[in-house]
């Protein structure tokens, strides 16, 4: 029996041998001449000269063995519909979509922007692009026109694929007017807009530009469009980061490296195999959706469950009901979804037969100890936290149950994944930190296959942003802060901009949050550093209570504040005690569920909040202003020129 440690050591000692072996998991039209070319660091080129195709590996390859197996099971609690699509049917639909794109003149290297709700046609569109070598750029359907326009101008797509509408918590959200607004705002003009009409909202078609999907689908008939074999390093897609810390970066992904990395991760990390069913509750607009709703499970010959809906509609049991109904083996969700469930009746966790489920994976933000143990005990299954980024495309730090069942440590996403030489380094010198010493989570180049090749259209931004943060050394910075324990487990302490400095003491906001969250009354909490004339910075804690009534009276509120202060003081010391604790009904988050700390900080310091186009619910900012007793900052007059 092999161990995670042994696999990791081997992957770093001889990366070429390790990845050459993994490359056997996929089909190649032409084998590579060289496994790795790192002659121009930090640009790593994997499987140089090899020719392959993502769509072939995700769809066509399985026709011989599993044509009638469900490839995609779509469930919508928004429109109350289900649809099961076999590999054979998926192949047919992808070919039709590819034929339509060809009719529109889309060629290898052209970009196609996909702005769609969670419907099967979105998956057809992604696979159709990779089939013909077009580069897709999926933009999360929840984004409005400003975010969309920025991505249109950056990706410069030849064609946009969209739909009349999405639906969120039972409310129809018309996409077409948002798209039209974005197209009017953007400088770049795509030639065609292909629209899937779900019959949810009226659509005003622009003649000569807008095309109806259903009509074209009929017209192209049972088309057969051959796969375009791409050199392994040719781009498969561009995906923008979540924009939690600022301007989103266009992450460019390769083809062969990504296919190999995902196929390997399905087995070694997720412990999944052909024929298994995976249910990932993300959105195709995020990297988790790209890798683990679409490409990963399909590359592995699995069935993927695609869900349009929220975790609490029609009730708090829906995710587990779907897991039972589809005999799900592997589930992947985010801490934010689990925290939503925590506010529901815990009886939902045990109502359904989850005997098929082996593991629940969670990623996207820090998984606090109380939430981890709540869900683990609730469903009685192993919960595997895993840490990664849009940039990496697949997990960097994780327990890897596909290799070995290591005991989890609550609050830690686990140990470095094979292929990643993860270091904790001193932010000033770039030198390696000892166990127990906090530092920046960095990765020694080359990044393994599947990680970003560059920033779309901007090689120098790639080098500048990610590889130029430490003196004398070119190392990839994750911009997260972490620490390694004596057993080699890593703990993420927050983003590097979330480190606060109280009277010379450096504290991770994450540590203070963990401490506050250990109080049973607290459902969720955010801690930010706020400028203070005396101490440099002080910690402000913004809490959501499990029972909103508790904070109802001033006296109860003050008592609770005192208790919380004492918890932090006893666990972390007086220096970490927040200067202030306020209570709000909801926290400002991005559409992908990430805490917008910079917005909380700006409000607390009476500054403007800056670019918040990715915010989920703007009213959370008003609640916060109210709780803090501050007024909205008046926008500074913007100087001309
Ligand atoms: P932007 O880079 O545009 O500011 P973003 O960093 O939120 O946005 P993503 O790539 O979606 O964009 O998120 C990656 C980040 O999410 C990580 O760098 C880390 O801060 C956080 N993260 C992801 N998974 C975990 C995890 N398991 N534990 C702790 N933090 C995590
Ligand atoms: Mg980031």
């Amino acid at each position: 029996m092999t161990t995670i440690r042994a696999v990791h050591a081997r992957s770093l000692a001889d990366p070429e041998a390790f990845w050459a072996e993994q490359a056997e998991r996929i089909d190649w039209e032409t084998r590579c001449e060289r496994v790795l070319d790192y002659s121009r660091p930090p640009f790593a080129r994997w499987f140089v000269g090899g020719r392959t195709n993502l769509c072939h590996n995700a769809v066509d390859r399985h026709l011989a063995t599993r044509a009638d197996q469900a490839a995609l099971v779509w469930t919508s609690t928004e429109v109350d519909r289900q649809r099961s699509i076999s590999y054979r049917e998926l192949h047919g639909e992808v070919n039709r979509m590819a034929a339509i794109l060809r009719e529109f003149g889309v060629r290898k290297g052209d970009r196609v922007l996909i702005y769609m709700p969670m419907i099967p046609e979105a998956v057809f569109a992604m696979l159709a692009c990779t089939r013909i070598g077009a580069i897709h750029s999926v933009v999360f359907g929840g984004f409005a026109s400003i975010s969309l326009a920025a991505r249109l101008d950056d990706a410069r797509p030849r064609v946009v694929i969209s739909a009349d509408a999405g639906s969120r918590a039972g409310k129809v959200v018309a996409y077409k007017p948002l798209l039209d607004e974005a197209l009017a705002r953007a400088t770049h003009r795509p030639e065609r807009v292909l629209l899937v009409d779900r019959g949810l909202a009226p659509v005003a078609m622009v003649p000569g530009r807008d095309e109806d999907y259903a009509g074209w689908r009929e017209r192209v008939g049972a088309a057969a469009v051959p796969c375009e074999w791409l050199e392994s390093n040719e781009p498969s897609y561009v995906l923008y980061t979540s924009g939690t810390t600022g301007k989103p970066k266009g992450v460019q992904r390769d083809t062969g490296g990504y296919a190999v990395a995902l196929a390997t991760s399905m087995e070694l990390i997720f412990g999944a195999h052909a024929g298994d069913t995976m249910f990932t509750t993300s959105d195709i607009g995020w990297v988790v959706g790209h890798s683990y709703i679409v490409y990963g499970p399909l590359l592995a010959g699995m069935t993927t469950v695609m869900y349009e809906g929220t975790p609490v509609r029609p009730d708090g049991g829906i995710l587990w009901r779907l897991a039972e109904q589809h005999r799900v083996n592997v589930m992947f969700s985010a801490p934010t979804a689990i925290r939503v469930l925590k506010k529901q009746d815990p009886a939902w966790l045990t109502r359904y037969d989850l005997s098929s489920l082996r593991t629940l994976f969670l990623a996207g933000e820090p998984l606090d100890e109380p939430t981890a143990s709540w869900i683990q005990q609730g469903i009685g299954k192993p919960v595997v936290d895993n840490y990664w980024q849009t940039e990496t495309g697949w997990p960097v730090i994780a327990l890897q149950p596909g290799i070995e069942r290591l005991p989890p440590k609550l609050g830690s996403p686990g140990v470095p994944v094979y292929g990643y030489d993860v270091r904790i380094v001193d932010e000033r010198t770039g030198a390696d930190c000892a166990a127990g010493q906090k530092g920046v989570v960095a990765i020694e180049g080359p990044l393994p296959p599947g990680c970003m090749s560059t920033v779309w259209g901007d090689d120098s931004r790639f080098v500048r942003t990610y590889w130029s943060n430490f003196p004398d050394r070119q190392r990839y910075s994750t911009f997260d802060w972490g620490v390694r324990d004596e057993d080699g487990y890593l703990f993420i302490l927050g983003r590097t901009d979330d480190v606060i400095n109280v009277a010379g003491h450096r504290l991770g906001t994450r540590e203070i949050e963990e401490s506050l969250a250990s109080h049973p009354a607290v459902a969720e909490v955010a801690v930010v550093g706020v400028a203070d004339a005396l101490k440099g910075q002080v910690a402000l804690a913004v809490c959501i209570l499990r029972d909103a009534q508790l904070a109802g009276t001033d006296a109860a509120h003050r008592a609770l504040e005192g208790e919380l202060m004492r918890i932090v003081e006893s666990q972390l010391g007086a220096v970490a005690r927040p200067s202030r604790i306020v209570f709000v009904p909801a926290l400002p988050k991005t559409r992908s569920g990430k805490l917008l700390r910079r917005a909380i900080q700006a409000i607390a310091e009476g500054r403007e909040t800056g670019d918040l186009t990715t915010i989920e619910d703007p009213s959370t900012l008003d609640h916060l202003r109210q709780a803090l007793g501050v007024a909205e900052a008046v926008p500074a007059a913007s100087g001309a020129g």
Side-chain angles (χ1 to χ4, degrees), residues 171-227:
K171 279 215 304 272
V172 169
V173 183
Y175 279 26
K176 183 60 175 26
L178 295 175
L179 175 60
D180 285 340
E181 214 179 294
L183 287 167
R185 200 182 273 272
T187 342
H188 174 73
R189 300 260 167 277
E191 288 162 28
R192 308 278 186 117
V193 174
L194 181 66
L195 285 155
V196 176
D197 190 353
R198 311 175 70 189
L200 294 180
V203 173
M205 300 290 271
V206 176
R209 187 195 73 186
D210 297 356
E211 305 281 353
D212 171 54
Y213 169 69
W216 273 102
R217 187 178 170 280
E218 282 308 305
R219 218 162 306 150
V220 295
V225 179
C227 289

Side-chain angles (χ1 to χ4, degrees), residues 241-246 248-249 363-367 385-391 413 478 480 492 495 594:
T241 60
S242 296
T244 310
T245 53
K249 299 156 282 262
E365 13 142 27
L367 175 64
D385 182 7
N386 56 114
Y387 163 91
W388 46 299
Q389 309 181 302
T390 308
E391 290 87 340
T478 62
D480 288 307
I492 303 295
R495 304 196 184 231
K594 289 164 190 281

Side-chain angles (χ1 to χ4, degrees), residues 72-83 116-122 140-142 163-173 175 196 198 200 279-284 293 305-314 318-319 322 326:
L72 180 64
V73 173
W74 174 69
T75 289
S76 172
T77 49
E78 296 291 338
V79 296
D80 280 323
R81 284 190 52 197
Q82 289 220 8
R83 187 175 165 194
M116 290 181 97
M118 285 284 283
I119 54 175
E121 288 80 1
F140 175 53
D164 59 335
S167 175
R168 228 175 114 80
K171 279 215 304 272
V172 169
V173 183
Y175 279 26
V196 176
R198 311 175 70 189
L200 294 180
F279 176 20
T280 299
T281 72
S282 181
D283 187 283
I284 49 151
I293 294 175
V305 176
M306 181 183 197
Y307 174 53
E308 182 185 43
T310 76
V312 292
R313 258 183 98 257
I318 180 65
L319 297 184
L322 290 172
H326 300 296

Side-chain angles (χ1 to χ4, degrees), residues 286-570:
W286 310 129
V287 70
V288 175
H290 279 62
S291 294
Y292 297 112
I293 294 175
V294 184
Y295 292 110
L298 295 179
L299 284 166
M302 296 164 65
T303 300
T304 183
V305 176
M306 181 183 197
Y307 174 53
E308 182 185 43
T310 76
V312 292
R313 258 183 98 257
D315 54 58
I318 180 65
L319 297 184
W320 317 112
R321 193 149 67 244
L322 290 172
E324 174 189 270
Q325 193 181 345
H326 300 296
R327 307 297 302 149
V328 169
N329 307 109
V330 180
M331 244 173 115
F332 193 159
S333 191
T336 191
I338 305 303
R339 283 193 284 265
V340 166
L341 295 181
K342 235 164 123 186
K343 294 173 203 154
Q344 306 281 316
D345 185 353
W348 286 119
L349 300 181
T350 48
R351 186 158 308 180
Y352 299 98
D353 172 13
L354 298 181
S355 55
S356 60
L357 183 65
R358 296 194 292 263
T359 314
L360 169 65
F361 292 85
L362 297 174
E365 13 142 27
L367 175 64
D368 56 285
E369 287 191 30
T371 303
S373 47
W374 181 83
I375 187 66
Q376 189 154 323
Q377 281 158 21
I379 60 170
K381 301 284 174 180
V383 171
V384 175
D385 182 7
N386 56 114
Y387 163 91
W388 46 299
Q389 309 181 302
T390 308
E391 290 87 340
T392 67
W394 55 285
V396 175
I397 303 170
L399 293 182
Q400 298 144 62
I403 302 176
E404 175 196 5
R405 283 267 177 203
L406 271 187
K409 290 196 187 191
L410 287 178
S412 162
V415 298
V417 171
Y418 54 85
Y420 291 100
D421 189 357
V422 181
R423 307 292 181 96
I424 305 289
V425 304
D426 184 280
E427 68 176 329
R428 278 174 301 268
T429 64
D432 290 291
C433 292
Q437 200 187 335
K438 299 167 193 172
V440 178
V441 181
I443 305 171
E444 187 77 46
L447 295 178
C451 291
M452 81 188 291
S453 328
T454 185
V455 171
W456 172 249
D458 198 346
D459 282 356
S460 73
R461 187 172 175 206
F462 175 63
V463 178
R464 214 171 46 231
T465 304
Y466 296 102
W467 297 88
S468 312
N469 298 284
F470 310 109
D472 310 326
R473 272 198 186 80
Q474 209 173 39
R475 270 178 172 169
Y476 175 87
S477 173
T478 62
F479 298 101
D480 288 307
W481 213 49
V483 64
R484 187 193 309 265
D485 75 5
E486 295 290 345
D487 303 326
Y489 284 65
L490 291 155
F491 293 77
I492 303 295
L493 303 171
R495 304 196 184 231
T496 48
D497 5 352
D498 297 336
V499 176
I500 61 178
N501 197 326
V502 183
H505 300 272
R506 295 168 56 68
L507 303 163
T509 51
R510 167 96 195 265
E511 296 166 276
I512 308 175
E513 284 167 7
E514 286 269 350
S515 172
L516 291 164
S518 67
H519 191 289
V522 175
E524 203 171 344
V525 56
V527 170
V528 300
V530 178
D532 180 89
L534 212 60
K535 297 181 173 171
Q537 272 186 318
V538 290
L540 162 72
V542 186
C543 289
I544 301 180
L545 296 180
R546 222 178 268 222
D547 179 356
Q549 307 300 322
L550 261 178
T553 65
D554 269 0
H557 179 138
R558 270 198 304 277
L560 191 57
E561 190 176 3
E563 270 176 49
L564 290 169
M565 298 276 193
R566 276 192 293 282
I567 287 189
V568 178
E569 197 172 325
S570 69

